[in-house]
């Protein structure tokens, strides 16, 4: 059995950085993810006037409940969706003028439901070029609070950003959601907010957030479940192989650990304990139809091993994957077809038929870290797979190729 130490969760690290910056006192984050996304978030906080001190396994953030320490700031969000959506929301609670921009890739990704909600709350927010996209400027004068209606059908990050803003408002926030994707990510948000002292009540599809502020604390970051999916998939694919990921067990916050339940349905042996999760190959992968709306970041992982199943694999209700770092449905289909696999797609689904992928072939990554890491698993049984941009894994796992290669070489 191989034991893999997975880097810290990107989702948890980003939320923890927001909450630490907003809290009264100094927060210490243990084992935060160190990647392009999280470093960009930390640099954004520094630009806004928050004190961030980084050590190898601990980051210390001095909170500012009244908002950014800088009156004006220019923040570059890189490729990070959490940075690009959370930091303008955090800045809105302060007082000053803050300008945000992002990479060309992030500029293409939508912001409109979030920025429209902030405007409903009275935030003076202006898009610099295309409405509903970066760049944008926030002319902040605090947020009174109130009630709003939100469509989070494209991204749960819109709801997460507003929920985390709630305790910083003068009167609290009531958010009624008309549509919601990736709901387990919202559960992460709620659990973490409460651990920093927030009070939230959920009544049907309405979240009521009290104006409590936040309290600093020491907070440990659990391993990234989405990143773990590539190692779990590899273990399920290769006969005689098994892998254990410590720190991702029955108490894990992240819904993407549910990917192992998909592998179990396909025939893998899965064991989840208090201390970690183990996946073992049984030598069989069965085809299936699965709804992945709540764990859509692992859709490419499943697509990458789907050709090796004994029947078609149909993944449904994943329209939101079309507005990620790239159109992941089309990217998966394009690359599988390049390997000789029969694939059908629709607006929110992909169906992959059994076959033997044939190389050599260069995978078109579209600058998307998840396409690279997913098709690295396909490469276990497909000699000659290369990537046009292997380095884009720096977004969430800069050391992925070395760690995955070491895992493959371990008997």
């Amino acid at each position: 059995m191989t034991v893999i130490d997975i880097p810290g969760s990107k989702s948890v690290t980003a939320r923890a950085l927001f909450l630490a910056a907003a809290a009264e006192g100094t927060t210490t984050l243990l084992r935060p993810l160190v990647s392009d996304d999280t470093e960009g978030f930390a640099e954004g906080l520094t630009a806004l006037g928050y004190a961030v001190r980084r050590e190898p396994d601990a980051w210390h953030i001095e909170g500012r409940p009244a908002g950014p320490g800088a009156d004006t700031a220019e923040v570059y969000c890189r490729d990070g969706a959490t940075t690009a959506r959370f930091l303008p929301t955090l800045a809105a609670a302060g007082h000053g003028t803050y300008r945000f921009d992002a990479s060309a890739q992030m500029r293409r990704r939508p912001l409109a439901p979030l920025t429209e909600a902030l405007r409903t709350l009275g935030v003076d927010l202006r898009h610099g070029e295309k409405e509903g996209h970066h760049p944008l400027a926030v002319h902040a004068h605090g947020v009174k609070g109130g009630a709003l209606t939100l469509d989070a059908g494209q991204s749960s990050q819109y709801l997460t950003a507003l929920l985390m803003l709630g305790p910083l408002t003068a009167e609290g926030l009531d958010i009624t959601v008309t549509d919601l994707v990736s709901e387990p990510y919202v559960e992460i948000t709620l659990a973490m907010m409460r651990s920093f002292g927030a009070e939230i009540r959920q009544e049907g599809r309405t979240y009521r957030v009290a104006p409590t502020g936040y309290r600093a604390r020491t907070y440990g970051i659990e391993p990234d479940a989405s990143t773990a999916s590539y190692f779990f998939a590899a273990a399920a694919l290769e006969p005689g192989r098994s892998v254990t990921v410590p720190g991702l067990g029955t108490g894990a916050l992240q819904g993407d650990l549910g990917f192992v339940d998909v592998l179990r349905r396909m025939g893998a042996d899965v064991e989840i304990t208090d201390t970690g999760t183990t996946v073992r190959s049984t030598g069989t992968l069965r085809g299936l139809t699965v709804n992945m709306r709540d764990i859509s970041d692992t859709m490419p992982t499943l697509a990458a091993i789907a050709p090796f199943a004994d029947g078609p694999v149909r993944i449904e209700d994943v329209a939101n994957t079309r507005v990620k770092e790239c159109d992941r449905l089309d990217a998966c289909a394009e690359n599988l077809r390049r390997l000789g696999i029969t694939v059908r797609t629709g607006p929110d689904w992909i169906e992959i038929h059994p076959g033997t992928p044939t190389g050599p072939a260069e995978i078109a990554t579209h600058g998307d870290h998840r396409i690279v890491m997913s098709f690295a698993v396909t490469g276990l049984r497909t000699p000659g797979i290369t990537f046009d941009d292997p380095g884009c894994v720096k977004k969430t796992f800069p050391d992925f190729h070395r760690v995955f290669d070491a895992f493959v070489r371990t008997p």
Side-chain angles (χ1 to χ4, degrees), residues 4 7 227 230-231 363 365 368-377 380 385-409:
I4 295 286
T227 299
Y230 312 114
F231 297 88
I363 299 300
T365 65
D368 191 330
H369 58 134
R370 300 215 181 278
I371 299 299
V372 176
M373 293 188 279
S374 296
F375 279 88
V377 183
L380 293 175
I385 281 186
T386 58
F387 303 96
D388 63 6
D389 185 10
C392 67
V393 297
K394 68 182 181 180
K395 181 178 176 68
T396 51
F397 194 175
D399 211 19
F400 170 77
H401 294 292
R402 184 193 65 79
V403 174
F404 193 75
D405 287 347
F407 167 70
V408 170
R409 290 195 300 270

Side-chain angles (χ1 to χ4, degrees), residues 228-229 232 256-266 268-272 277-279 295:
S229 74
F232 290 142
D256 275 5
L257 185 57
F259 179 73
V260 299
D261 295 325
V262 179
L263 295 177
R264 180 187 281 123
R265 288 180 57 193
M266 297 180 77
D269 181 25
V270 176
E271 181 183 7
I272 304 176
T277 296
T278 299
V279 173
I295 56 170

